Amino acid sequence: MQNFDYQTPTRLIFGKGVVEKLPEVMAQFGKKLLLTYGGGSIKKIGLYQKVYELLKGYEIIELSGIQPNPKYDPSVLDGVRLCKEHNIDVILAVGGGSVLDCSKAIAAGACYDGDPWDLISYKVKAKAALPIVDIITLAATGSEYDCGGVISRTETNDKIGYMDRHLFPHTSFLDPEYTFTVSKKQTAAGIADAMNHTIEQYFVEDATLLNDGFCESMLRSLMVNGRKCLENPEDYTARAEMMLACTYGCNGILALGNSYSGWPCHGIEHALSAYYDITHGEGLAIITPRWMKHILNERTLPRFVKYGINVFGIDATLGQWEIANHAIEETYKFFESIGIPMHLREVGIDDSRIGEMAHHIAVNEGLDKAYAPLAEKDIAEIITASL
Ligand code: NZQ
Ligand code: ZN
């Protein structure tokens, strides 16, 4: 087992009606808040109105229109400007992972005098960030329980996972009822995202029985409950379990003591969505089985066998290669069965920029150090196989 140094300071408040506790949480901060949200889903579900009702007496400045794959320009820059102009005390992010990620970059940028990109691109280390409280409305990223935010810069085709310990939300509110309205497409993308977060942490050299069990259970739960959420979007129990599973995805708890993964599918997908603005979870679902096929060899075989038997219940008496290949097929078939388009061409990506993207990924994502190292050529082959 590897050494680790771990701390997650975020308070999670989970369940039906928990947003009523918002005034108690916000009372710890000053009265000027930046309310961040996306394209309007929070108005349709009554959450926007609820926030105003609960926070009477606060000076609320708004930053709306934060897009999926949140953009540095204008959203992060506008948010930083608003925080500085209005001397904001706390950021309240209400929406999906994109809103929260953008808010994290704003929180750090607001406490920094230079160009916020210095922080996001790791040129400068943040010394502080504004406190962030969030009400998460989409189960997927786990951003509500981690210190990362993924920001896109269109003109340079960058999509950077910006992580810093200052970016943990102070408090995250998770009411599964607010996820009832998430579309089938976004629900399926959320399932795929959280499953891939687990897979990224499962396929490593040195893993514990403890973490393997946790990951296998996460994957089974996401498949069972994810399917129920798609069949009946208002199934509270299924939405709740899916939401909790997603929350565990990205804060490292699944990998404590494990060796390095490198998160290869994320490295590849972030470039696909930087170049083509596709939905993150869909990109991951397309890449994952092709990546699995590409890295399956004598060395990785035992991991695939374990994955196949414990996650999909494949007959353990079959041959090892048969189990491994069957497990990869089951992974593909599950994503297909929840309605995800399983080819890059279906989400608008053709072969015209594969070389350029593979080069960008090889230079920026460090996948040559991953559990199964990927050179530029491997990355191009995985993307090509995903077309
Ligand atoms: O913009 P609005 O109107 O709010 O609509 C959103 C958006 O169109 C909608 N939505 C959200 N909650 C809803 C709802 N619609 C109906 N009812 C609700 N309750 O869903 C659409 C997608 O929202 P978005 O926030 O983009 O989705 P998600 O939460 O999947 O976030 C994706 C982003 O997170 C990044 C991804 O790369 C992508 O940019 N990631 C962040 C991570 C992190 N911070 O740890 C890790 C992940 O691996 C991921 O990379
Ligand atoms: Zn992800």
Side-chain angles (χ1 to χ4, degrees):
M1 201 199 284
Q2 312 286 309
N3 293 359
F4 62 84
D5 179 341
Y6 182 79
Q7 185 180 26
T8 298
T10 301
R11 176 179 175 191
L12 298 180
I13 309 185
F14 188 100
K16 263 183 213 181
V18 290
V19 170
E20 297 297 335
K21 286 192 181 165
L22 186 62
E24 174 221 303
V25 169
M26 298 307 280
Q28 301 167 62
F29 311 107
K31 290 282 181 194
K32 285 188 180 179
L33 74 89
L34 180 72
L35 171 65
T36 54
Y37 58 99
S41 69
I42 68 160
K43 292 187 174 166
K44 289 194 197 122
I45 61 180
L47 190 48
Y48 174 86
Q49 299 81 339
K50 184 80 187 169
V51 164
Y52 271 88
E53 206 180 283
L54 290 169
L55 297 182
K56 289 199 179 92
Y58 279 78
E59 186 182 333
I60 301 181
I61 309 296
E62 291 192 12
L63 174 72
S64 62
I66 297 173
Q67 295 167 13
N69 299 325
K71 310 296 179 285
Y72 178 66
D73 186 3
S75 296
V76 174
L77 290 175
D78 284 351
V80 169
R81 183 179 45 74
L82 287 171
C83 288
K84 289 184 175 173
E85 264 174 32
H86 296 275
N87 227 350
I88 291 293
D89 297 309
V90 53
I91 300 178
L92 177 60
V94 186
S98 294
V99 170
L100 180 50
D101 283 8
C102 185
S103 305
K104 289 176 177 178
I106 294 169
C111 299
Y112 175 65
D113 284 338
D115 181 349
W117 193 253
D118 295 346
L119 303 169
I120 297 165
S121 60
Y122 296 100
K123 204 171 114 195
V124 174
K125 175 114 186 57
K127 293 206 173 72
L130 289 178
I132 303 161
V133 173
D134 66 86
I135 306 171
I136 199 84
T137 63
L138 197 161
T141 62
S143 187
E144 64 275 15
Y145 204 31
D146 72 30
C147 64
V150 187
I151 303 298
S152 296
R153 190 162 189 179
T154 314
E155 72 272 22
T156 51
N157 293 314
D158 278 312
K159 183 172 179 184
I160 297 186
Y162 171 40
M163 295 178 76
D164 188 289
R165 66 177 180 84
H166 294 100
L167 304 184
F168 279 108
H170 176 281
T171 299
S172 293
F173 288 91
L174 301 99
D175 182 339
E177 287 190 325
Y178 287 126
T179 67
F180 286 177
T181 50
V182 175
S183 66
K184 282 200 186 321
K185 174 188 164 81
Q186 291 295 340
T187 299
I191 298 164
D193 190 17
M195 283 180 67
N196 184 270
H197 295 159
T198 315
I199 288 168
E200 300 271 39
Q201 293 167 91
Y202 187 81
F203 284 89
V204 292
E205 195 67 49
D206 181 13
T208 62
L209 189 58
L210 182 67
N211 289 344
D212 281 355
F214 203 168
C215 288
E216 289 156 3
S217 164
M218 280 270 294
L219 290 166
R220 290 195 304 269
S221 165
L222 282 162
M223 287 193 285
V224 169
N225 290 294
R227 222 186 260 296
K228 287 185 184 168
C229 293
L230 290 166
E231 280 159 12
N232 175 10
E234 302 201 4
D235 179 336
Y236 179 83
T237 309
R239 285 285 193 189
E241 191 164 328
M242 176 173 162
M243 195 169 208
L244 186 56
C246 290
T247 300
Y248 288 131
C250 270
N251 79 345
I253 201 164
L254 301 173
L256 294 181
N258 279 7
S259 57
Y260 184 68
S261 149
W263 288 62
C265 296
H266 274 68
I268 297 174
E269 198 293 319
H270 281 169
L272 298 180
S273 42
Y275 278 72
Y276 291 94
D277 215 353
I278 63 169
T279 299
H280 174 63
E282 291 184 349
L284 287 174
I286 298 169
I287 292 292
T288 303
R290 278 73 181 219
W291 165 78
M292 287 179 159
K293 236 185 194 137
H294 193 88
I295 68 152
L296 176 60
N297 57 32
E298 289 286 351
R299 180 178 73 91
T300 61
L301 181 63
R303 290 309 279 163
F304 281 99
V305 171
K306 188 168 193 193
Y307 169 74
I309 295 169
N310 293 346
V311 176
F312 293 104
I314 298 171
D315 180 355
T317 62
L318 295 173
Q320 298 223 326
W321 287 94
E322 194 180 346
I323 295 172
N325 281 309
H326 193 172
I328 297 173
E329 271 163 41
E330 290 292 327
T331 308
Y332 183 99
K333 281 201 292 203
F334 174 76
F335 290 141
E336 190 178 43
S337 76
I338 58 171
I340 294 186
M342 287 305 288
H343 293 272
L344 290 178
R345 289 190 197 281
E346 294 173 70
V347 295
I349 301 180
D350 61 18
D351 61 1
S352 59
R353 303 183 80 180
I354 292 178
E356 188 186 343
M357 289 193 294
H359 183 69
H360 186 99
I361 296 162
V363 170
N364 293 295
E365 299 288 343
L367 301 186
D368 53 334
K369 294 175 204 71
Y371 157 66
L374 300 178
E376 187 171 325
K377 180 173 160 291
D378 299 296
I379 297 164
E381 283 172 15
I382 292 168
I383 301 175
T384 305
S386 306
L387 283 171

